[in-house]
Each structure stands twice: as C-alpha cells, then as structure tokens.
Amino acid sequence: MRRTVSFTGVAALAAAALALAAPAGQAAASPSHGVTVAHACAAPTKKGDMACNALQVTAGTPKSAHAESDLTAAAAPSGYGPASLQAAYNLPSASGGSGQTVAIVDAYDDPNAEADLAVYRSQYGLSACTTANGCFKKVDQNGGTSYPRGDSGWAEEISLDLDMVSAACPNCKIMLVEASSAGMTNLGTAVNTAVRLGAKFVSNSYGGSESAGDSTYDSSYFNHPGVAITVSSGDNGYGVEYPAASKYVTAVGGTSLKTASTSRGWTDTVWSGAGSGCSADDAKPSWQKDTGCANRTVADVSAVADPNTGVAVYDTYRSATGWMVFGGTSASSPLIAATYALGGAPSAGSYPASFPYAHTSALYDVTSGSNGSCGGSYLCTGATGYDGPSGLGVPNGTAAFTG
C-alpha cells in the first residue's frame, strides 16, 4: 500500500517528517510548491528493513514540467529529461562512460524493467540498452535468474534508478540486482553480488533507521575499496538513515533544481525533504573534516531530489501508468553513481567516497535552503562550503568524482 502526503513550505517540515513515516496510502505534499506525492514503498515494519526513497508526483504541476524545451518535445513526459540533467551538472555524457557498468541494487522484482527502460531511452534518443546487446543485465541477489516476487512500489524505484543512470551516462552498461526482500541482509548480499560481478559503481536508493549493528553491516557489505557505492540520504528531512551513514559510501543528499539567469544557467538549493545530520552510531571517515559532528556526517554530495523539480520516469508494472514524475533522494543517488562512472573506474584500493573532498572546487556549492530545525547549524542548513543536506555540493562535471 502506498504512502501519500500533502504539505507546503518549510514551516510544515515537522509535520512532514511524521507524515512521511506514516503507513502507505496516507496523504502528503512535497515542500516548497505543494505538489502531492506518494511514497513508492511501504514504511519498514521491523528492525533491519529498508524503504526505498522514491516519491511519485500524483497531483500538481512540477516546476520542471515547463522549464526546458526538451521536457515538452513529446506530449507524454513531464519532468527533467537527460538533456536538462546533463546540462545542469555539466556532464560529458556523449563521450564518457563507455565500458563502465553501474549496478542498481533494489528489492523485489520488476518484470517490466527492460521493456520500460527501452521506452525511456527511445523517447530521449538514447541508444538501446538491452540484454541482447550486452548493455543490460538483470540478476537475483546471488547472481542468478531466480528472481524474487514482483512488487509495484519497488518496481517504480527500479524504473527511476535505471532511467537516472541512463540520463546521466547513456554509454554506461547497467546491472540490476534484485534482493529477495527489503531486509538489509538481502540488500547487502545484492551489493556484494554486484561487486563480485564486476560493477565498479553501485547505487542504493533505500534507507532505514540506524542501529548498533551498522558497523557489522559496514564490514560485511559496504567495505569495497576500488568501488564507488552511493546511497540516498533519505526523504524525511533532518535526520540520519543507514546505510547513508556508512563511512564507506557516498551519502547523496537532495536539492531543488531550477533554471537561472546565470552563466551556469541553473541553480540548486537545499531540498527540505533531504536527509542529513550527525550519525549516532557510525564512525567518521578520515576524509571528512567538519567539526560539528564527531561521528559520520550525512551527506557528502547531492543532486536533484525535490519532486517539485522532479524527473521523468517510465514504468508500467501493475498499476503504474507509464510516464510519471518522481523525486526523492532515490533520484540523486543513481545520478551520482553514473557521474562517478563518467569519470572512469576508481583505482584499486581507493575509497571513492573521499574523492569529492579532494576536489571541492569541481562542485557547484549549494548555499541556501534548509531541511529542518537544528539551531541554525550547517547540519540542516545550506551554507558556503560543506553542509549536511547538500554535502559539498552538486556535480560540475566529473572532476570531483575521480581519484
């Protein structure tokens, strides 16, 4: 059952946090402009379970629906498409990514994944990415073809992930690894499988509550030197989720992305739904130097996540309607994973989560907006340099994502 919420403005953040955690099927609206959104996945019901961070726009008009001409070239899609996302983040998508494989880890099966991906890529003039031509591969969490049961909510998440990798890195190969359930053990097994099968970039668009067991999960599933692992920071505003809190991953926050009369032509502000903060359980990585949090601080970098400036997605599994608009940090995580892929394979033994900290000038800084109340601290407020909701900023090309 779906979760929907309706609220407007930063003043409603406290109520929003409660609504976003409510059971699927209840109502919510995204911060800033008031579009109504539905959470694709049900809230976790027990410790160790994860929820995907995908938000479908169900009513209202996203800002991006009329922002760029490429969004309205066809009658059906609304939301940002590949041309807009590539332009906003200065991505060398025409020339980068060849030979690189981005893995998407999600729970349950989307039987329509390959067919829906074909429609998205055809709509935007991207080359075909199929099993037959070796570009697309789908496996279960152990690397075989015993796929789990289908789930319409996670299928929406899968479509969002596949489409965002395609948008940012059209030349990349894509591997979809489907975990048997939304439990961290199964999702972690899927991460290990993606790495074992050769993926150097692994996106995880899900999260749950932190726990004392996170250090065990870290060592079992996320400590993969030479592999860029990205994780969504969450959609509940100020507060920390796991596995975004893992010191081995790149935690990806969220922004509102709009056109602007600047040399860049775009501007990002903190999305009020993005997760951020100071971890209660996870240690700080050596490359993170902010002084207001002794433990791991979330996030590291960010990209578009606000449903009000959402992205176009195509999905038809079960009740899905085809073209839809999505937001949530489930959009930003695969975008950043694909940006890493555009920069080339990380060197053996490296920790790609550290790369942006060594190349801060190669990011667009996000200096305004807030995702909640933290006494005005950088942990919940956009600021010059590092801040929690947007991290070090959004991509300006690929230099910040190379070793």
Side-chain angles (χ1 to χ4, degrees), residues 50 184 206-211 213-219 221-222 231-232 240-247 282:
M50 303 286 134
M184 189 65 253
Y206 55 83
S209 60
E210 291 191 276
S211 73
D214 290 350
S215 60
T216 299
Y217 293 145
D218 276 357
S219 59
Y221 306 127
F222 296 107
V231 180
S232 301
V240 176
E241 291 187 353
Y242 188 85
S246 170
K247 65 181 179 180
D282 293 88

Side-chain angles (χ1 to χ4, degrees), residues 83-394:
S84 292
L85 295 169
Q86 292 165 21
Y89 297 127
N90 191 25
L91 301 180
S93 301
S95 58
S98 295
Q100 305 299 338
T101 296
V102 179
I104 297 298
V105 170
D106 283 308
Y108 305 112
D109 182 34
D110 177 3
N112 297 358
E114 184 173 358
D116 288 346
L117 177 62
V119 173
Y120 179 88
R121 293 178 70 101
S122 176
Q123 171 66 39
Y124 292 108
L126 308 180
S127 60
C129 186
T130 66
T131 302
N133 69 14
C135 175
F136 179 76
K137 183 175 186 177
K138 184 172 88 168
V139 297
D140 62 34
Q141 69 178 42
N142 298 311
T145 55
S146 298
Y147 304 122
R149 67 173 176 84
D151 182 277
S152 57
W154 280 91
E156 290 178 353
E157 173 64 58
I158 288 169
S159 292
L160 170 59
D161 291 343
L162 298 177
D163 292 354
M164 290 306 96
V165 172
S166 297
C169 186
N171 296 323
C172 284
K173 296 180 179 180
I174 307 175
M175 180 192 306
L176 170 60
V177 188
E178 296 181 333
S180 298
S181 75
M184 189 65 253
T185 299
N186 285 325
L187 287 162
T189 298
V191 172
N192 287 345
T193 293
V195 175
R196 175 171 57 83
L197 294 178
K200 298 298 183 184
F201 316 92
V202 184
S203 177
N204 303 268
S205 293
Y206 55 83
S209 60
E210 291 191 276
S211 73
D214 290 350
S215 60
T216 299
Y217 293 145
D218 276 357
S219 59
S220 298
Y221 306 127
F222 296 107
N223 186 7
H224 291 289
V227 178
I229 300 176
T230 64
V231 180
S232 301
S233 72
D235 299 341
N236 295 335
Y238 182 58
V240 176
E241 291 187 353
Y242 188 85
S246 170
K247 65 181 179 180
Y248 297 118
V249 309
T250 300
V252 184
T255 68
S256 301
L257 174 67
K258 301 175 184 177
T259 55
S261 300
T262 61
S263 58
R264 177 189 170 196
W266 300 83
T267 184
D268 286 86
T269 57
V270 167
W271 173 47
S272 55
S276 74
C278 184
S279 172
D281 296 290
D282 293 88
K284 200 174 199 69
S286 61
W287 47 84
Q288 197 172 54
K289 304 299 185 183
D290 62 299
T291 59
C293 171
N295 287 341
R296 169 72 155 112
T297 312
V298 173
D300 297 307
V301 293
S302 54
V304 61
D306 185 352
N308 293 286
T309 63
V311 298
V313 173
Y314 191 81
D315 177 67
T316 61
Y317 183 56
R318 289 187 181 167
S319 59
T321 57
W323 287 109
M324 297 178 282
V325 175
F326 274 85
T329 52
S330 280
S332 54
S333 177
L335 282 171
I336 294 298
T339 302
Y340 271 108
L342 288 168
S347 60
S350 67
Y351 282 95
S354 71
F355 295 172
Y357 290 86
H359 303 283
T360 56
S361 63
L363 294 157
Y364 294 118
D365 197 6
V366 180
T367 60
S368 63
S370 175
N371 67 348
S373 177
C374 62
S377 162
Y378 72 93
L379 293 174
C380 70
T381 306
T384 300
Y386 180 83
D387 61 73
S390 71
L392 297 164
V394 300

